[in-house]
Amino acid sequence: MKKTLLLILACISLNAQNKDLKIGLVLSGGGAKCMAQIGALKVIEEAGIQIDYIGGTSMGAIVGAMYSLGYSASEIESYLGQVNWDALLTNEVPRNRLSFFDRKADSRYMLSFPIDSGGVHIPRGVNFAQYIMKELSTITQQSYPYIDFEELPIPFYCVATNLETGKPRIFSNGRLIDALRASSAFPSLFTPYLFEDSLYIDGGVVLNYPIQIMAEKELDYIIGIDMQDYLNDRDDLNSVVRVLEQTSAFLNSRNKTASEALSDIWITPKIPEAGVTTFDLFDEIVAKGEAEARKHWDELRALAEKDQGPKREIIKATPKQEFYVKKIQVNGLVSLTPNFVKGKLRVREGELCEVNRLEKGLDQLYGTKYFTNIDYTLVPADTGYILNINLREQHYFQSLKLGLNYSDDYNAAVLVNYTNRNLLFKNSRLSVDFALGDMPRGEISYFVDRGFIPTLGLKLRSYRFRYQNYLNRQALNERIYQDYTLDLFLQSTWRDAYAIGGGLQIEDIGIIQNFDQENFPNFQKGFINYYAFIDFDSFDEANFPRKGFQLNARYRIISERQGFEVFREPSSVLDFSLKQALSIAPKWTLISRVFGATTIGPNLDDPYRIYFGSMGMSYINYIEPFVGYRFMELTGRNALMLRTDLNYEPFKNHFIQLKANLGRMESTFEELFDYDDFILGGYSIGYSYNSLVGPLELNIAGSTNHPDLYAYVRLGFWF
């Protein structure tokens, strides 16, 4: 009898120790540092532990959501390791996804401020996190129809902070993408997320390690992977992001004891070199998370051996790479039409659609700048999927923008821009630019973008700058060039890469001599011009392109006028420019350009002659950069130029540049191809930095035809 009793007690004891355990996993926030959680998860899987509940905050919520959907630790590592984190953090629309008009205009400004009925505002955050929304759309494809997060393959919750009340909100139902976006809205970096008429920011502000919520569940064990910072030393507080991390760490430090006490296994990787945005250290951070988890290997294995319950069927998360579009449903529109959205999306009903093509369409749609956020969901239908495009329109269409530029050619100027979209007509853009400096200039333009349908546009321009008049490389006198132009044009665009059109210009040009007016009298004339053009632009970046083409071709008939009466035989100019950017190695880019121009008919007045010289851009008539010569030093009726730039990027946004060009400047078109004649040549070596205020360039240039060298400096965007 005694032996039987002892046997029963032993069985009871064994069952108490080995049973179907419920195990929870808590993942803190921490930005890029949370990639260490992936490494720790790999060890947890290797130990044989089955997770039954997951809670997370911020980036930890994203990692946790992926795991709850069925991604393995290795699959999470593979997916997040391929994400373009720079694009997510900057939210910059790829240049080739912008409208044709915006590609030119938006490369001028360094700051933008929204305007509404209340006036000019400072943005609530650096960006709207559109590219995070796009990635989350793909990550959470298979979250439909799980409205209750308890029904996910692994039950899940996450935390966000109500910006208006300062209280945490526990997301456990609804759209998973909304919960993750709200939880990861890091203050100042991303704009607060509007959900159910409340604004939310990063859950880490009030509850970065949501262990208390997990402790309220009926669980047997809780594993925590805590990436929280517990106060940095003074020497480590060396950036804005580090200071923000320190402020959130105040609360974390007070909760440290409770966090450790409530966690049965507390994994705390320490990675002092990593911060919220250091995703460039992805592999190192993952490895350190794995190494830290292995320190708890004995605890993890002991827990796995205790859990003797039936194993859950593993549901694999496999985001679709393509799907059949049965129907497109557009949600959230207020002022725009579904046809406008579908036209920009370039996805058709009744077709097989690749996810990659869909994401490019989302970029194209976001590039219109009519929306703050765009995401998509796939709803299974009988023979395919219903593609839901979920939109949030901008609540403002006006903005104030600022730019800055200094160059040796144009001196210093500050650019102030006012932009108003949808004024009078949908898809319209009014842009007013004023360059404030010693030579003020301005431009007003209005255009309605109707795609391939030809549309009338208007441009008013006032342009002033100083330049030297040269003869045989000797500066004779300084001149002031001033131009006043009214431009009416008709333009058609296709796929936001091609533009074709023509127009009428009424132009008044003056050239003022600063001295010796007897030998060099002032010039003041009026002109009426007609032109046709074709443009193509697929450059990936405006200032330092790595791939793509640019083509600009124009034919212009130029007639001198008095009033609106033409009194002199007109002349014409045909010019073209073709540029190609080619990435020839990971850090090397080759940019080639061919430019040609020819004058047909009588000699033109000075403002319409072709000019070569310097390294700066000009947006008026036929003034072209030519390395090795001074600004507007060379002039003629016909010109041909070949140029090659070699860019080497040893560090991100830092460039070593070699530039060289050959050219001809002749009286007749036929002489351009007289290879026995004089050939112009120039070269330069320089350093450039792609800064927040625009490119910084330092160059030393020379010419094969003249022995002297000169320095060239510029800072900021061209305008």
Side-chain angles (χ1 to χ4, degrees), residues 339-392:
N339 286 336
F340 172 82
V341 173
K342 293 177 182 179
K344 291 292 183 181
L345 197 61
R346 299 176 189 167
V347 175
R348 301 289 183 266
E349 295 177 350
E351 293 182 353
L352 195 66
C353 176
E354 299 83 13
V355 169
N356 184 52
R357 178 157 66 92
L358 171 61
E359 291 182 343
K360 289 181 179 178
L362 296 176
D363 289 350
Q364 200 84 29
L365 194 57
Y366 187 67
T368 64
K369 302 190 176 181
Y370 290 126
F371 309 97
T372 60
N373 282 129
I374 308 168
D375 68 74
Y376 74 91
T377 54
L378 300 178
V379 180
D382 293 339
T383 57
Y385 289 85
I386 298 172
L387 173 61
N388 280 304
I389 304 297
N390 308 298
L391 308 158
R392 293 189 179 184

